[in-house]
Amino acid sequence: MRANCSSSSACPANSSEEELTVGPEAHGSLELVFTVVSAVMMGLLMFSLGCSVEIRKLWWHIRRPWGIAVGLLCQFGLMPLTAYLLAISFSLKPVHAIAVLIMGCCPGGTISNIFTFWVDGDMDLSISMTACSTVAALGMMPLCLYLYTWSWDLAQNLTIPYQNIGITLVCLTIPVAFGICVNYRWPKQSKLILKVGAVVGGVLLLVVTVAGVVLAKGSWNSDTTLLTISFIFPLIGHVTGFLLALLTHQSWQRCRTISLETGAQNIQMCITMLQLSFTAEHLVQMFNFPLAYGLFQLVDGVLIVAAYQIYKRRLKNRPRKRNPDCAEVCHDKKCREASAFLEVHEEAAGTLEPSGPMDRHRALEPIGHVTSCE
């Protein structure tokens, strides 16, 4: 009896309907506070990251959008395909499969800009990719969802959150534009703002992680298959994005940037689309995946940043170990060559005895050159 009523949004025979509707609303106040605080902090953070963007480099990326094109191919080519293959490979239920596919079709999230800054990526490319993928989502999200779900028998129509896309675009471009202006007019002050923004970004990540654990505490008791997919999905995005950027002969800095942009999805947009498209009964089964994906996305990003910082420190320590020996060798070479240089000119001065100013100048010209230690 309950199975027959499960497809209806209002079933009087279903005695647990009130319990199901309470599920997504139980943390309503917490989600509201979390959304407002994170939006304000994200705006301030994007303003500080915008202080690292130079107008000349940003315009260069727009005029030659090869890196942006590779990033969009990863965002709306690799990620939806990966989501579809994961849903088929793990034989997910339709309600779970559509949640995974919606996540794969979402544009890149602003959290990737924070990680890009910490791995010394191309901030101009990162911010331009986030903005371009958000604009492209207006057409690419419905297109990708139609291509991958036309053979699925969906009981409900999917609603694209155009309003959420517009709000995301405004919250991204306006703070970044102010940051670019500050960097153009006050470059010294912009560096200080950038350092403060890096600290704010760390605090924001901590807040988002704790809030994600609180909001998704019920998802840890859900299907382990969804948890497995939410763990490997962002990793696949990072790896495939890096490999595609490498195959297209992008620089190492751009490869890191495109990799982080590919694996980092807009979680809030996915949640909004689920809320607009499905009933409360279905949301109970689908809401856990985007929260778990967002949590593992943060964990993967932190691990990538930590690995890069360790690698960076090791590269800095290698030349220091070689410098003392190299300095001694170079000092000995320079001393020997300098003494030989003086001896030659002393002999030349004693034997030639230049008579005119031009002869004296020629006698003082160096015979050899001092080699440097490489």
Side-chain angles (χ1 to χ4, degrees):
M1 188 68 181
R2 182 178 177 180
N4 295 332
C5 297
S6 60
S7 60
S8 176
S9 60
C11 181
N14 194 349
S15 60
S16 62
E17 178 67 20
E18 295 182 358
E19 296 178 1
L20 292 174
T21 55
V22 171
E25 298 177 358
H27 302 286
S29 59
L30 180 59
E31 289 181 9
L32 179 60
V33 174
F34 169 69
T35 302
V36 173
V37 173
S38 61
V40 173
M41 293 185 66
M42 187 61 68
L44 295 175
L45 177 63
M46 295 311 298
F47 166 72
S48 63
L49 293 179
C51 293
S52 65
V53 177
E54 298 182 10
I55 299 178
R56 179 178 56 84
K57 294 182 180 179
L58 185 62
W59 179 245
W60 187 87
H61 283 297
I62 296 175
R63 290 184 59 187
R64 300 179 180 179
W66 180 235
I68 298 177
V70 174
L72 291 178
L73 178 61
C74 295
Q75 195 70 58
F76 296 107
L78 293 180
M79 291 301 284
L81 178 61
T82 303
Y84 180 79
L85 294 177
L86 287 174
I88 298 300
S89 302
F90 285 89
S91 301
L92 295 179
K93 300 177 182 179
V95 67
H96 293 160
I98 192 62
V100 175
L101 186 60
I102 290 175
M103 177 61 69
C105 295
C106 286
T110 53
I111 196 69
S112 61
N113 306 129
I114 305 175
F115 292 140
T116 301
F117 173 77
W118 283 343
V119 298
D120 299 330
D122 192 340
M123 289 300 302
D124 305 274
L125 177 61
S126 177
I127 293 177
S128 58
M129 277 182 59
T130 303
C132 290
S133 65
T134 305
V135 174
L138 295 172
M140 293 304 298
M141 278 189 72
L143 177 61
C144 292
L145 290 172
Y146 173 77
L147 292 177
Y148 288 104
T149 61
W150 67 272
S151 61
W152 294 0
D153 187 12
L154 296 179
Q156 294 172 325
N157 296 324
L158 299 178
T159 303
I160 306 298
Y162 292 107
Q163 183 179 3
N164 185 269
I165 294 175
I167 293 174
T168 301
L169 188 61
V170 170
C171 294
L172 172 67
T173 55
I174 292 180
V176 170
F178 278 109
I180 294 175
C181 293
V182 171
N183 187 29
Y184 179 75
R185 298 191 62 180
W186 302 285
K188 295 182 179 180
Q189 288 78 0
S190 64
K191 294 180 180 180
L192 179 61
I193 296 175
L194 188 60
K195 293 180 181 180
V196 175
V199 178
V200 173
V203 175
L204 177 62
L205 289 179
L206 181 61
V207 172
V208 170
T209 304
V210 173
V213 172
V214 173
L215 295 176
K217 62 180 180 180
S219 65
W220 309 119
N221 298 326
S222 61
D223 190 3
T224 56
T225 304
L226 279 181
L227 293 179
T228 304
I229 293 177
S230 63
F231 174 73
I232 65 176
F233 196 2
L235 287 177
I236 294 175
H238 292 313
V239 174
T240 54
F242 185 87
L243 292 178
L244 183 59
L246 192 62
L247 290 175
T248 54
H249 305 286
Q250 301 294 317
S251 62
W252 288 108
Q253 187 183 30
R254 290 189 179 184
C255 288
R256 296 193 300 269
T257 304
I258 295 175
S259 173
L260 290 171
E261 287 287 334
T262 304
Q265 299 293 89
N266 195 323
I267 308 299
Q268 185 63 36
M269 192 172 297
C270 177
I271 293 175
T272 303
M273 186 171 180
L274 292 177
Q275 291 174 338
L276 293 175
S277 303
F278 297 93
T279 60
E281 181 181 358
H282 291 148
L283 284 177
V284 173
Q285 306 176 48
M286 307 171 71
F287 211 68
N288 297 328
F289 176 75
L291 295 178
Y293 183 97
L295 182 60
F296 286 122
Q297 176 178 274
L298 290 174
V299 173
D300 294 340
V302 170
L303 292 177
I304 292 174
V305 171
Y308 174 78
Q309 293 297 330
I310 293 174
Y311 173 75
K312 183 179 178 181
R313 289 184 179 180
R314 288 185 177 180
L315 287 182
K316 287 184 178 180
N317 293 333
R318 286 179 183 177
R320 293 177 182 177
K321 295 179 180 179
R322 297 178 182 178
N323 280 340
D325 298 335
C326 182
E328 292 178 1
V329 173
C330 292
H331 180 70
D332 295 336
K333 286 184 177 180
K334 289 179 180 179
C335 290
R336 289 195 298 268
E337 291 170 359
S339 60
F341 175 80
L342 293 176
E343 290 178 359
V344 170
H345 280 281
E346 286 176 359
E347 294 177 357
T351 55
L352 297 178
E353 292 182 359
S355 58
M358 294 297 298
D359 294 335
R360 292 192 185 96
H361 177 70
R362 291 176 182 176
L364 293 176
E365 289 181 355
I367 298 175
H369 65 276
V370 179
T371 60
S372 60
C373 178
E374 297 179 352

